[in-house]
């Protein structure tokens, strides 16, 4: 399809236009409350450690074990409404910074929620809070709902053929009709697909993300053509570098399997002119995502939602699936990776689709009991992602009778040199940890396990153990 420049420009989505649409929905469909009720009066951030299910665990631990860590953001408005959002700390389109939090405090949540620069967790929480305050679902704030149900995909990283087959079966058991994974040279992709497809009906689809590892069209096509012999194989994502427009065009023309690219490279206009892919992977902040959706609608190209995290993020994604016309490929949220859900009720999938919620805000409630259980055992002095140092305060020792000095001395009996104590002075009971770069991962894992064990013993009332430490030194 050829789009004129005027038609393309008419699809641009401005923040002012999005804000006007949201405000109209609030006062048309929602509770008629004063603008001052939407003032952001408090923002809280909590890091949780979410354990993977057994099959994902042995595969995720090989490549991206840090996907366990998520930051939950809670925004409270002047009217008392509290919204929840999430940032998967080591895989996100935008982390919420301390500066973003300070900028949002005291502001209007309606004005703020379309600002993508605030980061994933804060933006999501603002949308949820505004929806709850106005008693409208998030999709009403985004636009007009065009789908009552939206497709979802099961996701796991590259695995053995046996694990992939087991995951496909589990996905189908839970109502999913598609499975997305990574195509990687260290696994036999033919064995993976052959083993998985043997137990699947043709209508269950397998999508493979190669992340440009097939190098070029000449090397990619023999592999892709062989895989397409299986009716379950449905979408290839980025088989070769996306900048290779001609190579991707050759692949798209030569295979019956749909080819997907991340939106933006090459330019969307280049994609339309060249036909180098069949649809877009779309993610990012709300304003960016709505702009991507508008272009896909005008160019009649499918859109593959990719908003990654726990069930909180998956719930947010459902609302975009409800308002984006071209969100017809099954959304990838990765929330199936985790043992426990941060929601009080599951996202139910039947026939590969989930219902777009119509309840206020995200339409799901946060499971605070699970969140409390997953909250890490030591308390960071400041929210956010650490760099080369990790700084904790002694809040986690409150009421235990154990001091920072006691904790550090007990660490000696675990076989580790204590961390820096009581510095910096501005942090109460500070514990400053800076591992050397020469330590292997297994040594760091052992160190973390010792910290967790000691924290658990302190909270269990074993203060005498700490007061007597160290026992194993001269």
């Amino acid at each position: 399809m050829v789009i004129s420049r005027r038609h393309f420009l008419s699809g641009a989505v401005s923040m002012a236009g999005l804000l006007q649409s949201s405000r109209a929905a609030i006062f048309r469909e929602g509770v008629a409350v004063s603008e001052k009720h939407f003032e952001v009066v408090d923002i809280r951030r909590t890091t949780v450690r979410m354990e993977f299910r057994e099959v994902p665990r042995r595969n995720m631990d090989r490549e991206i074990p840090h996907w366990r860590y998520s930051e939950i953001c809670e925004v409270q408005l002047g009217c008392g409404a509290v919204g929840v959002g999430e940032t998967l700390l080591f895989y996100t389109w935008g982390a919420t910074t301390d500066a973003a939090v300070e900028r949002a405090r005291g502001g209007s949540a309606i004005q703020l929620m379309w600002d993508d620069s605030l980061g994933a967790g804060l933006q999501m929480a603002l949308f949820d809070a505004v929806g709850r305050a106005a008693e409208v679902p998030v999709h009403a704030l985004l636009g007009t709902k065009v789908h009552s149900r939206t497709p979802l995909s099961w996701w796991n990283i590259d695995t053995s053929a046996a694990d992939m087959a087991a995951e496909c079966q589990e996905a189908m058991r839970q109502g999913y009709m598609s499975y997305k994974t990574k195509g990687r040279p260290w696994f036999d992709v033919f064995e993976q697909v052959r083993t998985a497809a043997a137990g699947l009906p043709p209508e269950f689809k397998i999508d493979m993300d190669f992340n440009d590892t097939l190098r070029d069209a000449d090397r990619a096509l023999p592999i892709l053509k062989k895989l397409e012999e299986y009716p379950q194989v449905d979408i290839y994502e980025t088989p070769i570098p996306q900048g290779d427009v001609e190579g991707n065009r050759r692949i798209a023309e030569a295979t019956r399997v749909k080819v997907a690219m991340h939106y933006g490279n090459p330019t969307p206009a280049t994609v339309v002119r060249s036909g180098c892919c069949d649809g877009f992977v779309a993610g990012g902040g709300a304003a960016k995502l709505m702009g991507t959706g508008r272009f896909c609608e005008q160019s009649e190209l499918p859109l593959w939602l990719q908003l990654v995290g726990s069930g909180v993020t998956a719930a947010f994604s459902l609302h975009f699936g409800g308002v984006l016309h071209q969100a017809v490929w099954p959304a990838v949220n990765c929330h199936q990776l985790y043992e426990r859900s941060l929601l009080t009720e599951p996202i139910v999938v039947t026939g590969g689709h989930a219902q777009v919620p119509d309840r206020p805000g995200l339409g799901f409630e946060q499971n605070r009991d699970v969140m409390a259980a997953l909250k890490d055992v030591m308390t960071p002095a400041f929210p956010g992602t650490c760099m080369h140092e990790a700084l904790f305060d002694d809040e986690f020792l409150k009421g235990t009778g154990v001091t920072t000095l006691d904790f550090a001395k007990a660490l000696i009996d675990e076989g580790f040199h204590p961390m820096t104590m009581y510095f910096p002075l501005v942090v109460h009971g500070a514990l400053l940890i800076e591992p050397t770069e020469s330590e292997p991962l297994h040594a760091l894992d052992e160190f973390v396990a010792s910290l967790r064990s000691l924290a658990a013993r302190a909270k269990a009332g074993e203060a005498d153990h700490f007061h007597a430490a160290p026992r194993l030194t001269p």
Side-chain angles (χ1 to χ4, degrees), residues 421-433:
M421 298 170 289
Y422 302 107
F423 181 84
L425 301 178
V426 293
V427 174
H428 195 276
L431 300 95
L432 179 62
I433 301 170

Side-chain angles (χ1 to χ4, degrees), residues 449-467:
S450 291
L451 292 176
R452 289 181 178 279
S453 174
L454 289 173
R457 295 187 72 170
K459 293 177 180 179
E462 299 182 30
D464 289 346
H465 170 80
F466 293 87
H467 296 159

Side-chain angles (χ1 to χ4, degrees), residues 40 42-45 71-77 81-87 93 96 109-110 112-113 118-133 138 141 312-313 316 361-362 366:
V40 176
D42 192 23
I43 299 173
R44 298 180 295 277
R45 290 183 288 168
E71 182 180 82
I72 304 302
C73 184
E74 297 175 278
V75 169
Q76 183 175 346
L77 304 185
V82 176
V84 177
E86 174 191 36
T87 304
W93 56 264
T96 295
I110 300 175
L112 289 164
M113 65 185 183
L118 294 175
L122 181 50
Q123 184 178 61
M124 198 183 306
L126 287 165
F127 269 98
D128 187 30
V130 170
R132 290 175 184 275
V138 165
L141 303 174
V312 177
T313 296
F316 192 48
L362 292 179
Q366 179 187 10

Side-chain angles (χ1 to χ4, degrees), residues 17 105 113 139 260 288 301 318 389-390 425 437:
R105 290 187 195 277
M113 65 185 183
H139 66 72
K288 177 185 176 183
L301 287 172
L318 292 176
E389 295 177 334
L425 301 178
E437 290 81 354

Side-chain angles (χ1 to χ4, degrees), residues 173-448:
R173 186 186 72 80
Q174 293 197 31
Y176 290 80
M177 292 303 295
S178 61
Y179 176 88
K180 185 184 178 187
T181 188
K182 301 283 189 181
R184 290 296 183 265
W186 45 84
F187 284 111
D188 184 336
V189 292
F190 305 118
E191 181 188 6
Q192 285 176 312
V193 174
R194 180 175 62 252
T195 304
L200 298 171
E203 57 270 22
F204 187 99
K205 300 305 178 184
I206 296 174
D207 305 318
M208 300 202 81
D209 178 5
F210 290 96
N211 289 112
D212 69 29
T213 55
L214 299 184
R215 307 288 297 278
D216 56 50
D218 289 336
R219 281 177 273 201
L221 278 170
I223 298 169
L224 302 180
K225 292 294 287 182
K226 187 172 181 179
L227 289 174
E228 78 170 11
E229 295 173 6
Y230 296 90
Q232 291 86 356
V233 176
D234 193 47
I235 306 175
Y236 298 137
E237 180 182 331
T238 315
I240 64 175
Q242 294 193 176
D244 184 353
V245 175
E246 177 57 23
N248 279 289
R249 184 197 62 77
R250 285 178 56 199
I251 291 171
E253 287 186 355
T255 177
R256 68 157 184 84
V257 177
K258 299 181 281 290
V259 175
M261 285 186 177
H262 283 264
Y263 184 87
N265 174 34
T267 65
T270 299
V271 169
V272 172
R273 285 196 303 267
S274 66
C276 61
C277 75
D278 301 294
F280 291 111
V281 178
K288 177 185 176 183
L289 197 46
M290 293 302 291
T292 302
R294 183 68 180 272
F295 180 85
C296 289
E297 181 181 348
Q298 293 186 343
S299 59
E300 299 177 357
L301 287 172
L303 183 151
W304 205 357
L305 280 170
Q306 184 168 294
L307 297 173
V308 175
S310 74
V312 177
T313 296
F316 192 48
S317 178
L318 292 176
H319 293 272
F320 288 96
V323 301
L324 296 174
H325 284 262
Q326 296 301 105
V328 294
W329 288 356
V332 177
N333 306 126
C334 304
H335 61 290
Q336 309 91 354
L337 291 170
Y338 302 105
E339 277 185 342
R340 305 179 72 178
S341 174
L342 294 179
L343 305 177
T344 57
E345 58 184 293
I347 295 173
V348 177
V349 178
T350 56
H353 289 69
Q355 199 73 25
V356 177
D358 285 322
R359 290 176 293 190
L362 292 179
F364 290 86
E365 298 300 323
Q366 179 187 10
N367 191 325
R368 296 189 177 277
D369 291 338
V370 170
M371 181 175 159
L374 297 180
K375 185 177 179 180
D376 245 334
V377 293
M378 295 174 67
T379 47
F382 303 100
T385 305
C386 298
M387 301 300 284
H388 67 290
E389 295 177 334
L391 177 61
F392 300 92
D393 60 27
D394 61 356
E395 181 67 23
F396 72 102
L397 296 173
K398 189 174 182 179
T400 65
V402 177
T403 67
T404 291
L405 179 60
D406 295 332
F407 193 87
K409 289 192 296 182
L411 195 58
I412 297 173
D413 287 340
E414 299 287 322
F416 295 101
H417 192 286
M419 68 288 286
T420 300
M421 298 170 289
Y422 302 107
F423 181 84
L425 301 178
V426 293
V427 174
H428 195 276
L431 300 95
L432 179 62
I433 301 170
E434 183 179 0
T436 64
E437 290 81 354
S438 59
E439 291 291 346
L441 179 60
H442 71 82
L444 294 176
D445 287 341
E446 291 170 4
F447 177 67
V448 170

